[in-house]
Each structure stands twice: as structure tokens, then as C-alpha cells.
Amino acid sequence: MRKIMIYILGFILFMQGGHPVWAENYLLNGGQKSTFRYALVQEIRPTGETVTMNLTYVIPQTFTSETYRQHIKDFDIRFSLKPDARKEWTDRHGNRVVDYAWDSPKKAFKAEVSFISDNEVTLKQIKTESPFPVNDLPAAFDLYLSETAQVQVNNKEIKQKARALVNDSKTEFDAVQRILTWVIDKMKYVLTPEAYDAMYAFRTGKGNCQNYSHLAAALMRAVGIPVRIVNGITLKEPYHVKLGAQLLSLNMAQGRHSWIEVYFPDLGWMPFDPQQTELFVSNRFVRIEIGLDNQDTMNDGLVRWTRTKGSKEVISFQETIAADFTSDIVDLIGEKQGYGPKNLMLLPPVKAQYFNAPVVKEQKPVPYDPALLAKAVFEKPYIYGNLDFPEGVNFAFSRTTRVTDNENSMEKNFLVETAEYITGGQDYCQAFEIGVPVNLQQIGVALQKFGGEGELVLELRENTQGGPGKIAAVSRGVRLENISGARGYFWVDFDFADQQLMLTPDRYWISINYKGSPIINWFYSYGKPVGQMDGTRSKSRNEANWRFTMGYEFNYRVSGLTIR
């Protein structure tokens, strides 16, 4: 049996005082300044039994905060089929809502929403002296302390946890940071949770952007901090943060997203993305609608229709989002701190009284004695990895229909395709870490085939100074014709069984290589559901250095046998 034994865990980006640490708090200085043209195109195909049709939108507004600014101009909505009626109003949160109606539409038509946005982020030291508890707020802010069906402020468990987290906080920033540190470390991102409310997230530790927003809002409102939910769009244009010799590469899927804004008496409303940022969001975020929760921010993208009595036919609906950047300047420098959550958190420098959460030192795995391993019996099934992803989902047609006796509707959802094109000019490498010896059988990855021909292989790499090292083994090849051509992502397993590989506890890396001209995407999850912050790397195909650290984690599974 071949043995791959690498006993030293030397994670360069994670060393502090000679010990690996879990603190992943980065202070950012610099900014982003971009102009882009945004276009949302909807294709609607009524049925022969459609009686009425309504499409609702929220007109995005210019917004300014201490860190994030959005200036909207040239807003326009066009339809290939002229609507029969138009109605516009402003709701209680200040959202400008517009609704278009059609009577008995019989043919397919398109709707296009477009505008130009100047988005800018400026990150420098922020000074806040807002005390905690937050007192003497105007009555208008009571609305953003209230409970909803998705933000269970008055739940006993929520109240107890919130009070425990901020027990001795003296400033609002300290209270907010403690809550977000807990949320970021508590939560594991999954794209299709069973529910979207705060209590589901609190009890399971799982959820998508809605769960992160609802849980953070519930905990903050429970201790008197006003929070509102923001719905908008994230753009897929990546950007980089300089971390010494490394570059942290950050990007979001192009699609709908939920985040929050927190009110500070001396700063105003400040944006936060509870998945990874404090006091700012990237200028790849397009702010559209605000409310108390994600049911209260349902107007933008809402589709409603009625049909003849007894009909069960459902309309066809498809939505695509595009953004054309005409200018894009990014200059961000990050500095790692010796405190904070074990999962990634980014924020500007803050001048305020706050508590530095202690660093949790990571325990090194104890090397197994090779002589004992040679006698061990490997018979217990073993599987490990970033296993949760929406297998087989067609992202182009992902909305669900809500049916009632009087009206049918399709609300926007937050199901976004997070994936990288891996058979082009960029190479990707994903780390995994095991704590027990494993007789390796297979490694699976979540892939979608879009076309081409040829063969894929998976390379198992050693860990060298915390990064991808030399290739230790190569799987059997998988021919493209043996990979499903169905829309959606599926597990593709690469076989190592005949190589008798025994992996000792350590970090390893996997990369995909190919022959021919395959067109393949590899699915990833936001954040790091199971791995360390520096565990996903990339480089250009003609480079030797894996110099980009990615802010996400590819979906993979390692299968084999371990000792009982």
C-alpha cells in the first residue's frame, strides 16, 4: 500500500506565534469605484387560459452611507407587449414600487429593466461612539425592532443568546461585532435550506443569505439595535484584496441576495453582509428594496396571474441578469488581526471600544506510527467533504409557484449558481483535511458538463508550506461521454481504488486536469463550510504559483475506508 505521509501542518497564512490559529478577521483599507450598466431580462409565456398578468418592480434609489454609495441614473422598463395598466406607489419603508398589468395576454413577451449605476466603496478608519444599550431613539425606529414571522425577536432562545453575547458590551459596535462573530462561526452556508427564518438558522446552524440576515436581525433587535433587511442583486465581477504576497479573490454569484443595514445614531444606516462583512458591502452589491424581513421585501420581481376556473396550467418564466462594467477601479489592502471569528470577516478599521475575541488555536493532528498503520485493518466506511449542494437543479428555471383559489404567484428566490469554469485559462485547487488514516477509494466533485469532448482526471497533491504541492497521485480518467449532460450539477467520482493509497491525517489538495476540449463548471459554496480560509486556490494555467486565495469552497467528497 502506497503511503502519503506529511506530518507538518505549516499554514503560512495562519501562523501566529508558531501556532496555526483560527482568527480570520481582516481590516481593509482602500476602495472600489465602478460604473456599470445593469440589465434584467424576463421572458414570460402565458398559457391560453391566463386571464390577467401582473409584474411588479421596485425602482432602485440612490443611497449613501459612510462606506457604500450607490448612484442610480437612466432607469428604464420596457416591454415587448404593451401593458394595459400601470400603478406606482411608495410603501412604508420608502420603496418606490411600480406594477404593470395585462388583460388576457395570449403570447410570450419580454420585460427589460435597465439602469446605470455608479457604485463606490471607501474604507478608512470609522469613528463611532454610539453607546450600548442604544437609547432615546425616535419612535420611527421602533418598526425596525419588531418581530416578524421570519425574525423571531421575542423567542426565548433568541433573547437569551443575544443577551449572553452582549452581556458586558459598552458600545453598539462591540455588541454588533460580537453578534456577527457568533453568527459567522455558527452558520454553514447551504443554498437550499428547508426554511428561511431566524429560528431555523439558530437551531440547525444552516441556511442561505436569507437565514444569515434573519438570524443577525433577530439577535440584534432582541437587544434593542435597529436592523432592516435589504434585498438586491450581487454581480459576479470578481475583485482582489492584497494580503501581502497573496491575493484574496472575492466574488459572488450573479443573482438576488439578502443582507442587512444596522442603525448607529452617530453614523446612520450602515450596510453589513452577515456572511462576511461589517460596516460595508462590496460595490458589486446593487441595493433595491428594504423591509422588516424577506417576506416584507417581496415586491421586486413579483409575478402574479389569474387563470380560468378549473385550469391547472402554469405560465413559463425565465430571468437573466447582466452587468456591463464600463469602469472598475479596485485598490484594497487587508491586514489580518489576531482576534475575531474562525471564518472570514472583513471590515474597515474602527475607532471604538470593543472586545477582541480570543484566538482559538488549532490542534495539530497526532501522526500515526507507520508500523502500527501497517498492521491496521481498514474496514470502516469513511466519507468527508463539502457535501451540500443542490444536485440536479436547473438554475435557469428555479422559481416555484404559489397557488391559491384566486391568484397564482411567483416570488423572487435566492437560488444562485455559484460555480467556476475550470477548463479554460484558470486552474483551481481545493484542500481537504482528514483527522484519521484513510485508504482512499474515490474523490467526487460537483460538476456540470456544458459540452466539448475529451477526458478529465483528478490530481491528488501534497501539502507544501500550507499550499498545493507536487502531484502525489492521479485518478483514473473519466470520459466526457460518461458524464451526464442534464442541466444541473452532479457528483462525478474519480477512482483511486486500484492505487492502494493510504492517507495519514493531514491536509491534501485536489485539482482537475483534462485532455481535449471539455466545457466544465465546478460548483462551490459561499464561505468555508468545512475547510480553512486559505483552502481554495487558483492561478493562470501558465503560472507556477497558486497566488490567489478564493473566498469560497468547492464541493467535493472524499470516500474510502478507515480503521474501526
Side-chain angles (χ1 to χ4, degrees):
M1 181 180 290
R2 290 175 57 198
K3 299 177 182 179
I4 302 176
M5 300 184 182
I6 309 166
Y7 293 133
I8 301 173
L9 291 181
F11 301 163
I12 289 180
L13 286 178
F14 294 81
M15 295 296 289
Q16 206 175 71
H19 299 283
V21 295
W22 279 352
E24 292 303 337
N25 202 46
Y26 291 83
L27 298 186
L28 302 190
N29 282 279
Q32 301 170 294
K33 188 174 183 179
S34 308
T35 298
F36 54 85
R37 181 173 183 81
Y38 170 91
L40 177 145
V41 177
Q42 297 171 326
E43 299 181 37
I44 305 99
R45 186 177 297 276
T47 72
E49 298 178 339
T50 302
V51 177
T52 63
M53 172 76 67
N54 288 76
L55 300 179
T56 308
Y57 306 93
V58 173
I59 301 172
Q61 300 179 54
T62 293
F63 173 77
T64 299
S65 71
E66 288 281 328
T67 56
Y68 169 89
R69 288 167 289 282
Q70 166 181 292
H71 179 69
I72 303 293
K73 53 191 177 184
D74 298 342
F75 179 86
D76 187 35
I77 303 180
R78 297 185 180 186
F79 302 97
S80 62
L81 179 66
K82 184 180 178 180
D84 296 303
R86 179 186 185 277
K87 183 171 65 173
E88 182 175 338
W89 68 94
T90 300
D91 69 13
R92 60 178 175 166
H93 305 295
N95 299 307
R96 289 180 59 197
V97 187
V98 59
D99 180 85
Y100 295 88
W102 289 261
D103 294 325
S104 299
K106 299 303 180 186
K107 63 179 182 179
F109 65 97
K110 289 186 178 182
E112 181 174 354
V113 178
S114 64
F115 55 84
I116 294 174
S117 187
D118 298 319
N119 279 23
E120 184 174 2
V121 168
T122 302
L123 301 180
K124 57 185 179 181
Q125 187 181 74
I126 293 175
K127 181 180 179 181
T128 174
E129 297 178 348
S130 295
F132 183 80
V134 182
N135 296 316
D136 303 322
L137 287 171
F141 290 96
D142 291 346
L143 181 63
Y144 299 103
L145 296 172
S146 58
E147 170 156 343
T148 73
Q150 292 185 316
V151 182
Q152 296 97 331
V153 174
N154 296 321
N155 179 275
K156 183 179 179 180
E157 294 175 81
I158 290 287
K159 282 187 171 292
Q160 287 178 343
K161 173 54 71 174
R163 289 167 180 165
L165 288 171
V166 303
N167 180 46
D168 56 352
S169 292
K170 304 300 181 186
T171 66
E172 183 181 1
F173 173 72
D174 183 45
V176 169
Q177 177 155 268
R178 292 189 191 202
I179 288 171
L180 282 184
T181 295
W182 184 83
V183 169
I184 286 173
D185 280 349
K186 162 81 172 178
M187 291 290 290
K188 175 183 175 182
Y189 186 90
V190 295
L191 200 55
T192 53
E194 296 176 9
Y196 303 105
D197 62 293
M199 284 310 302
Y200 174 82
F202 183 85
R203 288 171 176 162
T204 66
K206 298 190 298 184
N208 69 1
C209 60
Q210 299 176 82
N211 298 98
Y212 276 83
S213 295
H214 290 149
L215 180 56
L219 291 166
M220 292 184 201
R221 289 181 192 172
V223 291
I225 298 172
V227 179
R228 60 191 185 191
I229 303 297
V230 184
N231 272 194
I233 302 292
T234 55
L235 306 178
K236 66 181 180 181
E237 190 75 14
Y239 65 96
H240 306 306
V241 178
K242 300 171 188 173
L243 301 178
Q246 286 288 116
L247 290 173
L248 174 61
S249 184
L250 298 167
N251 63 313
M252 302 285 284
Q254 194 135 291
R256 298 191 182 270
H257 188 55
S258 173
W259 62 97
I260 64 173
E261 288 172 355
V262 180
Y263 184 76
F264 290 77
D266 58 353
L267 296 176
W269 287 104
M270 295 294 292
F272 290 69
D273 184 354
Q275 290 177 219
Q276 65 180 19
T277 68
E278 286 191 83
L279 294 167
F280 84 101
V281 291
S282 159
N283 78 338
R284 274 57 170 159
F285 285 51
V286 182
R287 182 183 184 273
I288 294 180
E289 187 174 9
I290 59 172
L292 297 180
D293 62 18
N294 282 291
Q295 281 299 311
D296 195 35
T297 53
M298 64 180 290
N299 279 313
D300 188 59
L302 179 63
V303 181
R304 295 175 293 128
W305 72 98
T306 60
R307 55 194 178 185
T308 56
K309 187 175 182 179
S311 170
K312 296 183 179 180
E313 292 188 5
V314 177
I315 67 168
S316 172
F317 178 89
Q318 185 174 2
E319 180 177 87
T320 58
I321 295 170
D324 179 21
F325 280 73
T326 56
S327 67
D328 188 29
I329 300 171
V330 178
D331 184 15
L332 292 170
I333 299 174
E335 182 180 354
K336 185 177 178 180
Q337 305 302 295
Y339 61 89
K342 67 178 182 180
N343 290 321
L344 182 65
M345 180 188 285
L346 307 172
L347 72 159
V350 179
K351 186 177 181 180
Q353 180 183 344
Y354 60 91
F355 173 69
N356 293 346
V359 169
V360 179
K361 292 184 178 180
E362 182 185 7
Q363 298 297 315
K364 291 184 179 182
V366 178
Y368 282 71
D369 185 337
L372 294 178
L373 284 179
K375 301 176 183 178
V377 178
F378 288 76
E379 58 182 5
K380 181 181 178 181
Y382 176 89
I383 186 167
Y384 173 80
N386 182 13
L387 305 176
D388 291 326
F389 77 97
E391 188 168 6
V393 169
N394 184 346
F395 288 90
F397 299 92
S398 59
R399 288 202 181 194
T400 56
T401 301
R402 180 177 296 179
V403 178
T404 66
D405 292 338
N406 299 319
E407 187 178 67
N408 311 287
S409 65
M410 288 183 180
E411 299 173 10
K412 61 176 176 278
N413 65 33
F414 298 83
L415 189 64
V416 290
E417 184 175 1
T418 53
E420 294 284 8
Y421 171 46
I422 60 167
T423 49
Q426 200 78 2
D427 289 333
Y428 295 89
C429 208
Q430 177 61 53
F432 67 90
E433 299 175 32
I434 56 175
V436 295
V438 174
N439 180 354
L440 181 63
Q441 303 293 304
Q442 292 181 330
I443 298 178
V445 290
L447 303 180
Q448 180 169 185
K449 180 179 74 174
F450 290 90
E453 59 182 4
E455 182 180 79
L456 304 179
V457 295
L458 192 139
E459 301 164 336
L460 177 66
R461 293 174 177 268
E462 295 179 355
N463 182 57
T464 302
Q465 295 184 319
K470 67 180 182 180
I471 297 173
V474 178
S475 74
R476 284 185 179 180
V478 176
R479 298 290 304 173
L480 234 62
E481 57 263 30
N482 295 326
I483 298 176
S484 171
R487 292 301 300 269
Y489 290 81
F490 300 90
W491 287 117
V492 176
D493 290 312
F494 292 85
D495 190 11
F496 289 88
D498 60 351
Q499 300 186 46
Q500 292 293 295
L501 297 177
M502 194 276 288
L503 307 184
T504 58
D506 207 338
R507 168 185 273 198
Y508 301 89
W509 296 81
I510 53 175
S511 55
I512 295 174
N513 210 337
Y514 60 92
K515 298 176 183 177
S517 56
I519 304 172
I520 300 289
N521 276 12
W522 188 355
F523 199 85
Y524 65 77
S525 302
Y526 285 141
K528 302 291 179 178
V530 297
Q532 297 284 2
M533 201 284 285
D534 69 338
T536 309
R537 302 288 184 89
S538 75
K539 66 177 182 65
S540 297
R541 288 193 69 85
N542 57 1
E543 288 183 318
N545 180 26
W546 299 86
R547 64 193 184 98
F548 294 100
T549 298
M550 316 306 287
Y552 53 73
E553 184 171 57
F554 284 112
N555 289 82
Y556 68 91
R557 63 182 181 189
V558 178
S559 304
L561 299 172
T562 188
I563 53 179
R564 188 171 294 279

